[in-house]
Amino acid sequence: MKIVAADVIVTSPDRNFVTLKITTDDGLTGLGDGTLNGRELAVASYLADHVVPLLIGRDPHRIEDTWQFLYRSAYWRRGPVTMAAIAAVDVALWDIKAKAAGMPLYQLLGGASRTGVMAYGHASGRDIPELFDSIRNHLELGYRSIRVQTSVPGINAVYGVAAQPGPDGKRYDYEPAQRTPLPAEEDWDTRAYLRHLPGVFEAVRNEFGPELPLLHDGHHRMTPIQAARLGKDLEPYDLFWLEDCTPAENQEALRLVRQHTTTPLAIGEVFNTVWDYQTLIREQLIDYVRSAVTHTGGITAMRKLLDFAAQYQIKSGIHGPTDISPVGMAAALHLDLAIHNFGIQEYMQHGPLTNEVFRQSFTFADGYLHPGEQPGLGVELDEQAAARFPYTAAYLPFNRLKDGTVHDW
Ligand code: KDG
Ligand code: MG
């Protein structure tokens, strides 16, 4: 079998997505997600200008060899653009291999290790009553694990709070990237946040009881000692995890956090290779690996990363916000179903236009996702529908402190 075409499709139904479609000489097609929120065209160019010419004529079954070739022959290693491009190729090739085998992809990864994939959804509110409504709404939608994000008195706009108004005055909702000419400016005050958050979790536990798994995303804003304090303060509320408590480029910083708290820690959505996790995993400084298949070099690299994590009883918590396309989500679900050290899967539901462009066969019922039984990934791209939604520039927001200093967002 040979690759005869590889097309980069950029579409913007509810938001921007970059998809690679690989076609073989016997007519099979495979899809891969290369969406990098706010920097989509960089991956599209990397693929179209530098990778597609290298794929034509290659044997699509040689997935490991293609991965190593793309990673090593570029000379310039790692980085989100490169690794998203490699992921798009890798996942498209796995899609083709599984279609050729006539099996859903998870069968090629070793078969199902569980009957379904536990998912968590994003509840949020500007105040406690709105947060409770959002949690109830997520429970009604079928979620059985809930991430809790809340506004903080004294801060105007905080990551993850759906109902707060964006720069256009509309609901911010679940999508932080906004179609504005410049990135929206948000504000931040760590001391106010540290004072406010434990009371919110206390109220949620009092209302919803001890059983419900609760998660929280710190979104990279604290110093190690601040993160240590928050982890300690949240211990009575038994979180499933505290995510991205510090910007983790400095992996050693997590030693300090770990010394002080037993709140489980999840890190890695902005990472793109196993090297970003070396200290975190080897020293057991985290409990969950948060990488996206889409940003970490695809199934091939994620499988190795998660097998490494398994040696240390560290589990998966694959990144699954709306900026992961349905193709990237399906890839995550096949992996989730197959690996032994599965933890939880993030699942934010896409909007109706996205679901029109990407026809999906994965299902969600009673808190569990399943990738379905169609050969391959189980996602089809409607190219005519995709063409109706041209790329629209959008940016993630950024943060400033009260004195104007730029802060991590
Ligand atoms: O593009 C940025 C989003 O993917 C990120 O803000 C979402 O932190 C996030 C999460 O945990 O889903
Ligand atoms: Mg996050």
Side-chain angles (χ1 to χ4, degrees):
M1 212 194 273
K2 278 192 169 46
I3 296 172
V4 293
D7 301 294
V8 182
I9 297 147
V10 180
T11 179
S12 193
D14 300 292
R15 60 169 344 285
N16 292 318
F17 293 111
V18 177
T19 309
L20 181 70
K21 177 182 156 198
I22 295 182
T23 308
T24 69
D25 54 356
D26 54 5
L28 286 177
T29 58
L31 298 176
D33 178 26
T35 307
L36 185 62
N37 205 359
R39 296 292 183 271
E40 295 87 357
L41 296 185
V43 184
S45 159
Y46 192 105
L47 282 167
D49 297 329
H50 304 294
V51 172
V52 166
L54 311 178
L55 295 178
I56 307 302
R58 290 184 73 85
D59 176 357
H61 281 309
R62 296 185 63 182
I63 299 178
E64 178 71 29
D65 183 67
T66 302
W67 196 99
Q68 299 297 342
F69 168 68
L70 292 176
Y71 185 75
R72 292 170 202 285
S73 71
Y75 187 68
W76 310 107
R77 297 182 186 205
R78 308 165 62 186
V81 175
T82 299
M83 299 313 290
I86 294 178
V89 176
D90 184 79
V91 170
L93 295 183
W94 277 108
D95 192 16
I96 288 171
K97 192 184 276 298
K99 283 180 181 168
M103 290 180 181
L105 173 58
Y106 74 82
Q107 293 290 10
L108 273 59
L109 302 174
S113 288
R114 56 195 51 78
T115 51
V117 168
M118 183 168 78
Y120 74 90
H122 288 201
S124 66
R126 287 168 297 183
D127 52 27
I128 297 280
E130 197 175 84
L131 175 62
F132 284 4
D133 284 349
S134 176
I135 294 174
R136 281 191 200 101
N137 181 250
H138 278 77
L139 294 172
E140 276 160 27
L141 286 171
Y143 287 102
R144 299 292 171 260
S145 305
I146 309 276
R147 188 182 89 158
V148 169
Q149 304 295 131
T150 165
S151 293
V152 176
I155 304 181
N156 296 319
V158 180
Y159 162 76
V161 179
Q164 75 196 359
D168 52 5
K170 294 190 193 136
R171 272 176 70 100
Y172 181 106
D173 241 312
Y174 50 81
E175 176 51 73
Q178 289 155 49
R179 290 164 164 170
T180 44
L182 293 171
E185 183 175 320
E186 297 187 346
D187 53 334
W188 185 247
D189 178 344
T190 307
R191 292 187 66 231
Y193 166 76
L194 292 179
R195 280 195 305 273
H196 185 65
L197 197 69
V200 172
F201 273 91
E202 183 182 15
V204 172
R205 274 285 173 234
N206 288 341
E207 181 71 13
F208 294 93
E211 280 292 320
L212 184 65
L214 297 175
L215 303 85
H216 178 72
D217 191 345
H219 227 258
H220 326 274
R221 286 154 197 221
M222 287 166 275
T223 63
I225 200 69
Q226 290 167 338
R229 177 181 145 198
L230 182 65
K232 252 168 107 160
D233 289 352
L234 292 177
E235 278 171 23
Y237 314 113
D238 187 25
L239 266 61
F240 186 95
W241 78 34
L242 170 62
E243 176 186 348
D244 285 336
C245 59
T246 67
E249 290 100 320
N250 178 9
Q251 298 180 44
E252 290 162 21
L254 268 293
R255 288 180 191 146
L256 191 144
V257 184
R258 201 63 157 172
Q259 269 166 27
H260 289 284
T261 182
T262 56
T263 292
L265 302 175
I267 285 193
E269 70 180 37
V270 300
F271 290 173
N272 43 72
T273 69
V274 67
W275 305 105
D276 302 320
Y277 287 96
Q278 259 209 322
T279 305
L280 293 178
I281 291 179
R282 216 172 34 206
E283 296 187 20
Q284 288 174 278
L285 301 178
I286 57 170
D287 301 281
Y288 296 92
V289 164
R290 282 287 286 142
S291 271
V293 175
T294 301
H295 301 140
T296 314
I299 298 272
T300 299
M302 278 293 278
R303 180 75 202 235
K304 293 175 187 179
L305 167 58
L306 292 171
D307 283 347
F308 173 41
Q311 310 310 309
Y312 299 87
Q313 292 174 285
I314 295 170
K315 295 187 176 185
S316 71
I318 298 183
H319 194 216
T322 42
D323 45 291
I324 300 300
S325 87
V327 175
M329 177 58 69
L333 296 182
H334 285 279
L335 196 55
D336 288 334
L337 200 67
I339 57 173
H340 179 247
N341 58 328
F342 169 75
I344 199 165
Q345 172 64 51
E346 183 180 23
Y347 179 46
M348 287 174 82
Q349 306 196 12
H350 285 112
L353 299 179
T354 301
N355 295 337
E356 204 185 312
V357 171
F358 296 93
R359 308 243 168 84
Q360 305 145 38
S361 61
F362 56 80
T363 54
F364 178 57
D366 202 24
Y368 289 86
L369 288 153
H370 193 284
E373 298 299 338
Q374 275 186 28
L377 286 170
V379 182
E380 298 299 325
L381 177 67
D382 180 335
E383 290 185 57
Q384 279 181 347
R388 297 205 328 263
F389 305 107
Y391 168 78
T392 315
Y395 287 100
L396 286 166
F398 76 108
N399 260 335
R400 283 192 193 278
L401 303 178
K402 290 236 170 339
D403 69 355
T405 308
V406 173
H407 192 68
D408 298 295
W409 179 77

